[in-house]
Amino acid sequence: MRALSLAVPLAAITAVYLPKQLQPAPGVETWLFFDGVCNLCDGFVNFVYAGDSQGRVRFGALQKHRELLERHGAGRYAEGGEESMSTVVVIQDGQVFIRSSAALRILAVMDQPWRHPLQRLLWRMLAVFYLVPLPLRDFVYQLVGQHRYTIFGKKEQCMTPSGDFKRRFLEYDASEDRHPIFQ
């Protein structure tokens, strides 16, 4: 009973305090690298895009950014690496986050609080997951990751973003907007 009386206040404090602690400093870009053919990953990227009105997260497919990932010490997760396509990778201010830590970092960057009270409650519950030991969080992450194609399917090739969404990708070239078709 005593453990429960300590756990509840700790969870409440974590739910309020931790989301702010997971956010990068103002002006720090967040790069989210994902498996470009995975439908689950594609859905997550669309969710992040919709929930990041300030455009703080930029996206890149693991298949297309091997050199950039290698420069930041995360080349093993790029296509052809030792742990190829096994996790989302988040880079913030030169720091690399993978698996469940990467997902929680991304959720912290999204608009806070989310618009609907139920979404705010969900976020607070997710923040408490940061207290779950990393090996256990990552075990669950890897279990889902191993079966993601079977459960959610995959595409033949990486997504081709368009419109404003395209501007959020690392490979975006602003000169494309100057093409006569956009004038």
Side-chain angles (χ1 to χ4, degrees):
M1 186 66 157
R2 180 178 162 96
L4 181 61
S5 65
L6 292 174
V8 171
L10 179 61
I13 290 168
T14 300
V16 171
Y17 180 72
L18 195 56
K20 293 178 182 149
Q21 296 306 307
L22 292 175
Q23 293 179 5
V28 171
E29 267 194 356
T30 298
W31 298 342
L32 169 60
F33 297 92
F34 64 100
D35 179 350
V37 297
C38 168
N39 288 335
L40 174 62
C41 302
D42 186 45
F44 183 63
V45 167
N46 285 305
F47 173 74
V48 172
Y49 172 73
D52 177 26
S53 64
Q54 295 180 25
R56 295 183 287 180
V57 180
R58 302 207 41 217
F59 308 104
L62 289 164
Q63 292 91 331
K64 296 181 178 183
H65 295 284
R66 182 180 182 88
E67 288 179 19
L68 183 57
L69 288 161
E70 285 174 345
R71 274 196 307 245
H72 287 87
R76 69 183 313 132
Y77 306 108
E79 189 170 50
E82 299 160 30
E83 294 185 59
S84 174
M85 318 302 286
S86 65
T87 180
V88 293
V89 176
V90 169
I91 299 177
Q92 291 175 326
D93 202 22
Q95 288 187 289
V96 176
F97 301 93
I98 57 171
R99 299 184 184 90
S100 62
S101 296
L104 288 171
R105 287 275 171 174
I106 289 298
L107 291 174
V109 172
M110 293 174 65
D111 297 341
Q112 299 295 325
W114 291 338
R115 292 173 185 87
H116 189 275
L118 186 60
Q119 290 173 322
R120 287 194 298 269
L121 176 64
L122 174 65
W123 167 241
R124 300 218 186 278
M125 289 170 35
L126 288 172
V128 173
F129 278 113
Y130 209 78
L131 294 178
V132 173
L134 181 63
L136 182 58
R137 281 194 342 245
D138 281 351
F139 173 77
V140 173
Y141 182 96
Q142 288 172 310
L143 187 64
V144 172
Q146 288 171 353
H147 301 284
R148 70 187 187 276
Y149 294 149
T150 304
I151 299 168
F152 299 99
K154 70 184 251 185
K155 298 178 231 152
E156 292 298 316
Q157 61 184 29
C158 291
M159 71 157 84
T160 305
S162 60
D164 186 54
F165 191 35
K166 173 175 63 174
R167 292 177 181 91
R168 299 278 297 278
F169 279 74
L170 292 167
E171 63 269 15
Y172 169 68
D173 179 2
S175 67
E176 293 175 21
D177 289 344
R178 294 187 198 100
H179 193 278
I181 197 166
F182 294 110
Q183 301 298 324

